[in-house]
Amino acid sequence: MGETSADAVAPAGGVGPAGPLTPEAEAAKLLPFLASGARADLQAAAAKHVLALTGSGPGRALLAGQAALLRALVDLAVAPAPAPASDAARALVNLAADPGLHDPLLAAEPGLPARLLGRALDPQWPCAEEAAAALANLSREPAPCAALMAALVAAAPGESGLEQLVLALCTPGYNARAPLHYLGPVLSNLSQRPAARAFLLDPDRCVVQRLLPLTQYPDSTVRRGGVVGTLRNCCFEHRHHEWLLGPKVDILPFLLLPLAGPEDFSEEEMERLPVDLQYLPPDKQREPDPDIRKMLIEAIMLLTATASGRQQVRDQGAYLILRELHSWEPEPHVRVTCEKLIQVLIGDEPEHGMENLLEVQVPEDVEQQLQQLDRQEQEQCEREQQERELAPEPRAEGAAPT
Amino acid sequence: MEGPELEAISDDAMDSFLEKFQSQPYRGGFNEDQWEEEFEKIPLFMKKTPSEIDPKENPDLACLQSIIFDEERSPEEQAKTYKDEGNDYFKEKDYAKAVISYSEGLKKKCEDADLNAVLYTNRAAAQYYLGNIRSALNDVTAARKLKPCHLKAIVRGALCHLELKNFAEALNWCDEGLQVDAKEKKLLEMRAKADKLKRTEQRDIRKAKVKEKKEQNQNKALLHAIKARNIRLVSEAASEDEDSASEDLGELFLDGLSSENPYGARLSVDDQGRLSWPVLFLYPEYAQSDFISTFHEDSRFIDHLMVMFGEMPSWDSEQKYCPDNLEVYFEDEDRAELYRVPPKSTLLQVLQHPRYFVKALTPAFLVCVGSSPFCRNYLQGRKVHQVK
């Protein structure tokens, strides 16, 4: 039986561009080879072809209309060995990166978030990294993010499925075949949802505390960025600021440490810093990714929203670190963010009744003025950026302070 | 409690037993003089169980014990009895005996993994209170092998690691425990504590490294300054073997620097790059000495002598040690020769003398009164050079 079918499909083995067929018809022809029950080598070839299609906009648009094919692709991507799941999983990553595909994907397979989640958190699953990456892409949009959140709640009744996700993220070697860096952005996206933040910030548990050391995770910008994004989102919850800044969590040193360089502070200044920032070695590197640096500064900025938060941030010597960062920072837009935070730290306290910066009502005219200023600032940054790109040499000289 | 077997007594027998005392006195009662001691010997009234149960001394107790630890009962039952006994000792804070009871229970090798896990965990607790942290850790590890989710074992293990200052391990145990019960208060508290201590420890390590580096740099600067001045150093350890001494001098020197000398002073360099040495003045006539903790290399001998002998020292019984009378010498030990140093020369000038060897980073000089008979006697038969 196998032999005959092999003969039968031989001409179709070259699933490449066939002349007279429309692209839609061609894609539809792939379906039988991709579907479960097909021979593994044919599945692999079909998946490879689909993967190639997902690399281009028109290819993805084409696939968006093929619900059955998408369903088969999902089935294959989560199918256990010996099915060739990896290319199908990669194709899903590409598709999920395109927000235009989210609706077709979820329509074709409403259980997609749950199925990917199961694979991403399966310690034995060889394609868990792809599953996590597809989830990270999917969860960027509100609707799939909500679906993922629902899947997490359903996955582990009683105990939050988020705990499993955090565990996988915080346990080195959780899956020997996948580092699961992409769980960082997954968590970051999830933390936009109040329910996720409520879990992360549950004072009766130890969740956010376990994430903190990952702000220094050396091996992956993706993981670091995801964790820092998660922490920043958590910092919007000003009711939790006191707890976050207090001894039970002590979040500030973990936000400041990646921003700190190898500066040698005086003994007196050193004593004012949190222990984690004291006596850093001369080869201490700052966070290399400017976007992550910016998020770290923004997170600290959020923590200064309340009067007591500002006090706690000031007391822990944040200014010293930011001062040094500011004189070092090569990226204009990060430097601007840094300046704003420094202004809050060294500026006067706001008037009575306006202490909580996250709750202050901004009058419309003031808001418009501020937006105008933001635009100017943005333009200024872009100009600087352009100047730097056009004339890197003199610019480098100009940026003398090292 | 001698007397007839109680259990054999029926009602009739009891009557006749009691009637017996109409005609003869009861002999089983307590002795008026020592009733308290006898009272104590009855198991029911014992305030404390004897540490060793001797069947001759305490026959009743020995009987009871043999009933409790009846070899015919199942290992599980026996192990459980030992566990209860251990728990009683534990409550009395008799941890050593509790350990023995739990160990006996474990020796029964019963099949009940949970019971064995409890025995291990409880023995760990007793060991912990005895200060045997390593043994406690071994026991909780064994308990977790039998029952991986046994929270008490995990809490105890985390405590042990905290006690042993293995903060990272303590954190791991806390996290594993919180996987079993995410809201366990003790674990949450301990985790925060271990984390804090771990971070402080890491700071201390970094601080020590920075300090070490700083010292190394200082020492290098000092070594460089000494070499630039052509000052010869000799280490006491290396003086035997001149060749290797010159090779290792830098290293030996640095070793010598990092340990302060017995007087708590050390060679230092000031902002202008000038050296100050700890210097020893010896007065052989009276077997006395003075230690100058910072002798600036550009200071003259006379400057120090003026200050030091501005007043007569108490040991100067003849009152002759005044600055003008003093002569300063240094000794060339290899040749057993002396060099007389003009008091107006600076320390640096003398240290640069080709026959001056600084020993143990502390230059030493002999000081005596030139005109004294002692000095003449002391110098007699030794070759004395004049330093210009």
Side-chain angles (χ1 to χ4, degrees):
Chain A
M1 191 65 194
E3 283 298 310
T4 44
S5 72
D7 287 337
V9 294
V15 255
L21 286 172
T22 62
E24 282 79 8
E26 193 200 315
K29 274 193 78 179
L30 282 171
L31 182 57
F33 304 113
L34 205 59
S36 65
R39 247 173 45 192
D41 55 337
L42 301 180
Q43 276 184 320
K48 209 177 229 39
H49 191 68
V50 174
L51 175 59
L53 281 173
T54 61
S56 74
R60 289 194 294 274
L62 177 70
L63 290 168
Q66 304 285 330
L69 192 69
L70 289 178
R71 203 174 312 126
L73 187 68
V74 173
D75 285 341
L76 181 57
V78 299
S86 67
D87 278 343
R90 276 183 217 134
L92 279 185
V93 176
N94 285 351
L95 290 174
D98 184 343
L101 261 293
H102 287 182
D103 281 345
L105 272 172
L106 288 174
E109 173 51 47
L112 178 62
R115 296 179 78 181
L116 285 175
L117 183 70
R119 289 316 189 194
L121 299 183
D122 177 352
Q124 311 297 333
W125 189 245
C127 301
E129 194 68 52
E130 285 83 358
L135 278 178
N137 284 340
L138 266 183
S139 56
R140 278 209 293 245
E141 299 296 319
C145 188
L148 176 61
M149 192 68 207
L152 277 165
V153 174
E159 188 64 28
S160 173
L162 271 171
E163 170 53 35
Q164 197 61 29
L165 202 161
V166 171
L167 179 68
L169 188 61
C170 296
T171 309
Y174 177 86
N175 182 332
R177 284 178 282 190
L180 297 176
H181 298 317
Y182 279 94
L183 289 181
V186 171
L187 190 63
S188 177
N189 291 337
L190 285 167
S191 65
Q192 294 173 56
R193 305 192 64 79
R197 291 199 297 274
F199 173 76
L200 292 168
L201 297 174
D202 185 344
D204 293 332
R205 292 172 186 270
C206 174
V207 188
V208 73
Q209 292 94 322
R210 282 146 68 202
L211 298 174
L212 295 176
L214 295 178
T215 62
Q216 291 284 309
Y217 188 84
D219 299 341
S220 161
T221 308
V222 171
R223 199 191 204 93
R224 259 191 346 265
V227 167
V228 171
T230 306
L231 295 178
R232 187 194 54 174
N233 285 344
C234 287
C235 288
F236 276 95
E237 298 280 350
H238 61 79
R239 287 172 298 114
H240 288 95
H241 280 180
E242 207 166 332
W243 176 71
L244 282 170
L245 287 165
K248 283 186 178 160
V249 183
D250 203 12
I251 193 174
L252 189 62
F254 295 93
L255 299 175
L256 285 173
L257 185 53
L259 299 174
E263 290 82 28
D264 190 11
F265 293 108
S266 72
E267 196 89 0
E268 191 193 336
E269 285 177 322
M270 201 71 94
E271 289 300 314
R272 287 179 54 206
L273 293 170
V275 289
D276 308 78
L277 290 141
Q278 292 178 3
Y279 302 100
L280 298 178
D283 58 352
K284 168 74 174 71
Q285 302 274 318
R286 285 192 173 82
E287 166 60 54
D289 185 288
D291 293 330
I292 299 181
R293 288 201 299 276
K294 193 173 176 194
M295 282 196 286
L296 287 162
I297 301 170
E298 285 167 349
I300 302 171
M301 183 70 137
L302 286 166
L303 289 170
T304 62
T306 63
S308 67
R310 282 191 288 283
Q311 198 52 50
Q312 278 171 290
V313 174
R314 282 184 191 126
D315 289 348
Q316 295 194 54
Y319 170 69
L320 289 174
I321 303 296
L322 293 162
R323 183 187 69 193
E324 299 301 322
L325 173 71
H326 185 262
S327 62
W328 169 89
E329 181 59 60
E331 290 291 326
H333 68 284
V334 183
R335 205 165 53 231
V336 167
T337 315
C338 184
E339 271 164 30
K340 284 181 185 159
L341 177 53
I342 288 178
Q343 275 163 16
V344 171
L345 290 180
I346 62 176
D348 295 331
E349 276 294 293
E351 293 166 37
H352 182 66
M354 296 171 112
E355 288 96 341
N356 189 326
L357 306 181
L358 282 172
E359 286 184 334
V360 168
Q361 297 288 323
V362 182
E364 209 168 307
D365 56 323
V366 176
E367 185 160 356
Q368 276 173 3
Q369 279 178 17
L370 289 174
Q371 280 171 357
Q372 173 72 20
L373 283 172
D374 271 355
R375 270 195 299 279
Q376 284 173 3
E377 202 179 85
Q378 181 80 24
E379 283 162 17
Q380 174 69 24
C381 277
E382 278 162 16
R383 262 201 307 281
E384 278 188 42
Q385 191 80 34
Q386 277 172 358
E387 278 168 23
R388 222 156 52 114
E389 277 158 17
L390 288 172
E393 295 276 310
R395 173 69 203 168
E397 274 177 23
T402 45
Chain B
M1 292 267 284
E2 297 140 37
E5 300 266 50
L6 282 175
E7 55 207 280
I9 299 173
S10 64
D11 277 355
D12 292 345
M14 183 59 101
D15 288 343
S16 63
F17 174 72
L18 290 173
E19 270 168 28
K20 199 166 62 175
F21 298 115
Q22 307 276 346
S23 54
Q24 50 181 302
Y26 172 62
R27 269 190 261 273
F30 294 120
N31 194 321
E32 261 178 62
D33 302 329
Q34 45 181 353
W35 69 271
E36 281 174 304
E37 277 172 47
E38 290 173 15
F39 196 68
E40 275 278 309
K41 284 195 177 165
I42 298 168
L44 184 61
F45 303 117
M46 279 179 175
K47 286 192 186 118
K48 262 171 64 183
T49 43
S51 47
E52 287 292 324
I53 297 172
D54 180 357
K56 275 186 193 146
E57 277 284 310
N58 292 296
D60 314 317
L61 211 54
C63 274
L64 284 172
Q65 196 190 29
S66 75
I67 294 168
I68 295 169
F69 300 106
D70 185 355
E71 293 297 324
E72 283 168 25
R73 292 159 74 231
S74 74
E76 281 76 14
E77 282 176 304
Q78 292 182 50
K80 168 130 192 347
T81 308
Y82 279 115
K83 185 198 84 178
D84 294 339
E85 186 187 60
N87 289 357
D88 289 338
Y89 283 129
F90 194 92
K91 276 181 209 136
E92 291 167 20
K93 300 197 173 153
D94 191 341
Y95 303 117
K97 273 196 204 142
V99 166
I100 295 169
S101 299
Y102 296 132
S103 302
E104 286 299 320
L106 286 166
K107 272 191 206 157
K108 295 296 161 196
K109 294 197 190 326
C110 77
E111 310 252 310
D112 184 345
D114 283 3
L115 176 57
N116 286 333
V118 171
L119 282 165
Y120 273 122
T121 308
N122 290 4
R123 190 170 73 178
Q127 294 282 26
Y128 179 87
Y129 285 108
L130 287 171
N132 304 329
I133 311 294
R134 295 258 165 225
S135 309
L137 210 45
N138 289 340
D139 277 353
V140 289
T141 308
R144 282 190 70 191
K145 268 194 194 131
L146 295 168
K147 197 179 170 192
C149 291
H150 194 41
L151 208 52
K152 277 190 176 171
I154 300 177
V155 172
R156 181 66 57 199
L159 264 171
C160 289
H161 278 301
L162 201 58
E163 192 73 21
L164 293 169
K165 301 196 192 307
N166 300 334
F167 303 126
E169 271 302 308
L171 272 176
N172 283 343
W173 281 63
C174 287
D175 281 343
E176 283 163 15
L178 289 168
Q179 285 302 311
V180 180
D181 179 357
K183 300 188 174 184
E184 218 309 313
K185 281 252 172 343
K186 266 187 234 150
L187 287 173
L188 287 168
E189 274 169 32
M190 213 184 326
R191 191 189 189 279
K193 192 174 165 189
D195 187 46
K196 184 97 205 146
L197 288 167
K198 179 183 152 203
R199 287 154 57 197
T200 308
E201 186 189 44
Q202 286 170 340
R203 190 271 318 264
D204 293 344
I205 293 169
R206 287 197 304 272
K207 188 174 177 176
K209 261 195 196 143
V210 167
K211 198 176 153 205
E212 194 184 325
K213 184 89 196 153
K214 219 179 210 169
E215 264 172 21
Q216 268 179 11
N217 288 344
Q218 274 176 356
N219 290 350
K220 267 187 203 151
L222 285 173
L223 184 60
H224 181 78
I226 290 171
K227 278 193 176 153
R229 284 164 175 73
N230 243 336
I231 295 173
R232 280 149 291 269
L233 298 179
V234 58
S235 154
E236 276 169 284
S239 59
E240 308 271 309
D241 186 350
E242 296 260 341
D243 292 334
S244 74
S246 57
E247 297 276 320
D248 301 334
L249 203 53
E251 220 166 282
L252 282 165
F253 166 75
L254 292 175
D255 282 350
L257 264 184
S258 36
S259 63
E260 294 185 340
N261 71 23
Y263 301 96
R266 46 183 291 184
L267 179 61
S268 62
V269 59
D270 66 15
D271 295 341
Q272 282 80 45
R274 305 305 294 166
L275 293 173
S276 289
W277 296 81
V279 171
L280 202 55
F281 280 3
L282 303 166
Y283 313 107
E285 184 175 6
Y286 287 98
Q288 294 288 335
S289 66
D290 272 319
F291 181 72
I292 305 154
S293 57
T294 48
F295 194 140
H296 194 279
E297 60 183 350
D298 298 330
S299 298
R300 301 175 306 167
F301 283 84
I302 189 68
D303 301 333
H304 279 277
L305 293 173
M306 291 294 277
V307 176
M308 292 160 71
F309 292 94
E311 274 180 48
M312 300 280 180
S314 57
W315 46 258
D316 180 15
S317 53
E318 294 174 42
Q319 308 214 322
K320 60 189 178 190
Y321 278 73
C322 63
D324 294 339
N325 298 340
L326 298 177
E327 289 179 358
V328 181
Y329 296 87
F330 72 80
E331 194 172 13
D332 178 347
E333 284 189 20
D334 283 353
R335 299 184 188 166
E337 293 170 355
L338 288 172
Y339 288 80
R340 186 169 164 191
V341 178
K344 285 191 177 160
S345 55
T346 64
L347 178 61
L348 178 61
Q349 286 169 334
V350 179
L351 295 184
Q352 285 176 327
H353 188 277
R355 292 307 302 169
Y356 197 93
F357 297 92
V358 178
K359 227 173 161 185
L361 293 169
T362 308
F365 297 92
L366 300 163
V367 177
C368 48
V369 178
S371 56
S372 71
F374 170 84
C375 187
R376 277 197 295 274
N377 198 25
Y378 187 73
L379 299 176
Q380 200 171 37
R382 302 175 85 168
K383 189 163 183 191
V384 179
H385 305 266
Q386 289 287 333
V387 176
K388 278 168 227 151

